[in-house]
Amino acid sequence: MSKFDSIERVVERHLCMGCGACAAARPDLVKMVDTEHHGRRPLVKTGIDDDTARALVDVCPGKEIVFQPAANYDEAAWGPVLEVWEGHATDPELRFSASSGGAVSAIALHGIESGDAAGAVQVRARKDQPLLNETVISESRADVLAATASRYSPASPCEKLADVRADGRKHVFIGKPCDVAGANRLMQMDERLRGSIGLTVSIFCAGTPSLAGTRELINRLGASEASEINELRYRGNGWPGRMSVQLKPGDQKRVEPESITYAEGWGEILQKHKQWRCQLCVDHLGEHADLSIGDPWYRPIGDDEQGESLIVVRTERGRLALMAAVEAGYLVVERRSVATLAASQPNLEQTKGAVFGRCLTSRTVGSSAPRYQGGGHGLVWWHALTPLAKAQSVIGTIKRIIRNRLWVPERALRLLGNSES
Ligand SMILES: Cc1cc2nc3c(=O)[nH]c(=O)nc-3n(C[C@H](O)[C@H](O)[C@H](O)COP(=O)(O)OP(=O)(O)OC[C@H]3O[C@@H](n4cnc5c(N)ncnc54)[C@H](O)[C@@H]3O)c2cc1C
Ligand code: SF4
Ligand code: SF4
């Protein structure tokens, strides 16, 4: 019997990424919940039969992702790339509020206002509990504005795909690379859903920190309890923007909260709370999306810069959507080379190489690793990593497996009382 004959087995073996695809496949059987130390996780109804369990786990990108075969080294390192552009939203409010240049928001808004899409699947902070996220279908500029800027905390955008499928009209789907991989698996298995997603947009992603990471962040920002907070920002309101909290009105003696830079917040706090599956993630750049969008870190950013996004066109459908948004005046863009992508995200090329070694090591010592088909990732391990980095990808993995006690099964049971969403 396969090691992954059920969704619970994927979670236990630390391979769940929290995308929510299983919950979209069978919303009657699976519900996504927030856990403190791992991320959003599926809670599966008890007593389902083996065939149903196996059909459910088939949609899961946590255990397996199929990539296009790579024709050359660039494709192995960066995935399929038709064009690279740098640009920003022309709407100044969207651009300011967004993570980088607001390109994701501008493309979503153009889809909605042009009538090409009935809505856009997006993630935003919950109003009642701003430390947690919710997935919504944006249908207006106000909705898109409310969903601007990255949330460096767990989110499960695929879970909304059950509603998209039921609606039947075309939507834009926005998520991290693993979310788009999950959406694609669902689309391959479901013709109606395939017809309901007109465009997929992936943000670049170096990893998702757990809720425990966000709690450490708010403590550093001067709030002791989640209940004191009105709003939490990880990015945006400038580029890249500062991490900050806005406290609820109350105790006048309370010290005003500090804000910290994105580099401090990510480097000193959030990064060490990444879920384990992110260490085994080979796609940080949204290779399954029509468009993937991140930061053009290839140059130093001036203090007064308003924000730019790096836009990778991966499919003809993505090219048409981007050009339509540009022609309609939602975005301005300038052409860049593939080398700009490499210069902007050199760490992600190294990480991709290291993941090949990490997966091999994990399997060798009896821990689990996702199965990646195609993609030519071994080539990146061979070319991008020095002999020392290759050795580190092996030794570092063994140390992490021991430090994280990965032989102990992860349980999706450690729920917060407040995890209903
Ligand atoms: C966990 C995480 C790690 C990231 N790592 C990198 C990185 O290593 N390098 C890099 O260049 N960029 C990274 N990004 C992406 C980057 O922060 C910007 O999202 C990207 O540059 C697009 O900016 P924008 O201004 O065009 O997006 P915006 O116009 O601000 O739109 C952002 C979109 O992302 C969605 N979103 C926000 N948070 C999440 C989430 N947690 N899950 C799914 N969707 C979400 C929003 O709903 C919105 O649709 C990361 C983002 C996240 C959430
Ligand atoms: S990775 Fe996605 S589909 Fe797989 S178990 Fe986790 S939430 Fe479900
Ligand atoms: S690093 Fe990979 S697995 Fe982790 S959240 Fe980002 S895309 Fe998903």
Side-chain angles (χ1 to χ4, degrees):
M1 189 183 283
S2 154
K3 279 196 291 190
F4 301 113
D5 53 1
S6 70
I7 288 294
E8 288 96 325
R9 210 70 66 232
V10 174
V11 175
E12 281 171 13
R13 289 175 180 262
H14 309 274
L15 294 188
C16 175
M17 324 188 264
C19 68
C22 50
R26 289 298 300 266
D28 54 328
L29 300 179
V30 185
K31 183 174 172 50
M32 298 303 292
V33 295
D34 288 291
T35 70
E36 181 75 23
H37 294 286
H38 300 291
R40 284 177 66 75
R41 292 290 179 264
L43 200 59
V44 185
K45 227 177 188 169
T46 49
I48 62 174
D49 62 69
D50 289 352
D51 287 348
T52 309
R54 273 193 291 273
L56 199 51
V57 82
D58 261 359
V59 307
C60 175
K63 63 169 180 56
E64 177 188 44
I65 301 182
V66 180
F67 291 84
Q68 274 186 32
N72 50 45
Y73 178 77
D74 272 354
E75 265 189 40
W78 308 110
V81 178
L82 300 186
E83 293 165 1
V84 178
W85 299 83
E86 183 173 335
H88 59 262
T90 51
D91 179 327
E93 203 180 359
L94 278 189
R95 186 183 185 188
F96 180 69
S97 180
S99 274
S100 50
V104 173
S105 300
I107 290 162
L109 186 59
H110 173 254
I112 294 165
E113 293 189 339
S114 66
D116 287 348
V121 177
Q122 296 197 283
V123 167
R124 68 179 186 197
R126 276 172 61 172
K127 282 206 176 72
D128 59 336
Q129 301 196 53
L131 262 49
L132 303 180
N133 296 321
E134 63 182 356
T135 305
V136 293
I137 299 183
S138 297
E139 293 178 346
S140 66
R141 179 180 175 279
D143 292 345
V144 172
L145 186 61
T148 47
S150 296
R151 311 281 310 160
Y152 290 88
S153 55
S156 311
C158 288
E159 65 188 323
K160 266 286 173 220
L161 292 177
D163 294 351
V164 168
R165 178 182 42 206
D167 183 293
R169 292 174 298 167
K170 292 241 184 287
H171 287 72
V172 179
F173 178 81
I174 300 163
K176 301 176 294 297
C178 58
D179 303 325
V180 175
N184 270 17
R185 274 184 95 89
L186 280 169
M187 281 192 275
Q188 277 160 18
M189 294 171 185
D190 186 330
E191 201 182 333
R192 183 172 166 89
L193 182 65
R194 209 160 45 243
S196 310
I197 298 185
L199 182 73
T200 55
V201 180
S202 176
I203 51 177
F204 295 179
C205 177
T208 293
S210 67
L211 181 56
T214 288
R215 287 198 204 280
E216 191 181 330
L217 176 68
I218 64 160
N219 292 159
R220 170 79 168 268
L221 291 169
S224 46
E225 292 292 335
S227 57
E228 294 172 14
I229 289 173
N230 245 345
E231 192 189 316
L232 164 64
R233 269 203 167 254
Y234 302 83
R235 292 270 314 247
N237 285 350
W239 184 35
R242 295 178 71 83
M243 298 200 179
S244 64
V245 290
Q246 189 192 78
L247 298 182
K248 288 180 181 157
D251 184 355
Q252 296 305 307
K253 286 183 294 208
R254 203 159 48 186
V255 181
E256 272 307 297
E258 302 277 338
S259 67
I260 57 174
T261 63
Y262 161 73
E264 285 169 320
W266 176 256
E268 293 171 20
I269 302 172
L270 295 175
Q271 186 164 219
K272 63 177 186 285
H273 291 278
K274 279 195 295 192
Q275 58 181 347
W276 170 251
R277 179 61 175 77
C278 297
Q279 304 287 357
L280 303 180
C281 173
V282 86
D283 177 14
H284 297 270
L285 295 171
E287 296 180 22
H288 292 87
D290 294 311
L291 295 170
S292 35
I293 301 183
D295 285 287
W297 295 137
Y298 66 91
R299 60 186 172 82
I301 310 299
D303 284 344
D304 54 352
E305 287 203 46
Q306 294 169 53
E308 296 290 338
S309 304
L310 196 67
I311 306 163
V312 183
V313 177
R314 297 198 179 276
T315 64
E316 192 52 38
R317 186 164 82 160
R319 190 197 329 245
L320 291 174
L322 176 66
M323 286 308 126
V326 170
E327 274 160 31
Y330 284 73
L331 272 172
V332 288
V333 291
E334 276 181 37
R335 189 76 186 259
R336 295 284 180 261
S337 65
V338 179
T340 315
L341 178 55
S344 293
Q345 308 287 336
N347 55 327
L348 295 186
E349 183 180 3
Q350 294 289 314
T351 305
K352 187 174 206 173
V355 166
F356 182 78
R358 289 177 197 164
C359 288
L360 220 58
T361 309
S362 291
R363 273 192 216 101
T364 309
V365 301
S367 191
S368 294
R371 186 154 168 256
Y372 295 127
Q373 287 187 51
H377 306 136
L379 212 57
V380 186
W381 185 76
W382 184 251
H383 280 281
L385 266 59
T386 61
L388 180 64
K390 286 187 181 93
Q392 278 167 344
S393 72
V394 173
I395 296 161
T397 305
I398 295 172
K399 283 186 181 163
R400 283 184 178 126
I401 289 172
I402 295 170
R403 197 182 325 124
N404 293 308
R405 298 167 49 82
L406 290 185
W407 57 88
V408 178
E410 181 187 324
R411 302 272 177 223
L413 300 173
R414 272 173 270 155
L415 310 179
L416 304 177
N418 56 19
S419 59
E420 301 286 311
S421 72

